[in-house]
Amino acid sequence: MTSTSTLPLFRSLLRNAKQLNDYNFRVYAIRRVKTGFRANQNLQGNEADSAFRKGTEQLEVLKRQVTMGNMYPSARSVME
């Protein structure tokens, strides 16, 4: 995969992760996105395509989590 297709995915994942209401979920999602991209930065060919597809699936999951979190907000954490 080229950086022109992975960079927008990375930014979208981070943007959606930052929209999570719960502090613990938000920090976990941001950390997971960053470590996932670091672990897969040197992939080539079919492995890179597979990782990209998995990333887009995770983006859809994250979008659903953000939507559900906005529908049922929780109390603010002491950490916030």
Side-chain angles (χ1 to χ4, degrees), residues 15-44:
R15 189 177 311 117
N16 281 290
K18 290 178 182 178
Q19 292 177 356
L20 287 167
N21 286 336
D22 187 80
Y23 173 80
N24 291 324
F25 290 139
R26 183 173 54 248
V27 172
Y28 171 76
I30 292 169
R31 185 177 63 238
R32 182 70 178 97
V33 168
K34 289 179 180 179
T35 57
F37 271 81
R38 280 190 201 119
N40 294 326
Q41 70 182 357
N42 295 323
L43 294 180
Q44 299 288 330

Side-chain angles (χ1 to χ4, degrees), residues 44-55:
Q44 299 288 330
N46 290 337
E47 291 176 336
D49 293 337
S50 175
F52 185 80
R53 280 193 300 277
K54 185 177 179 184

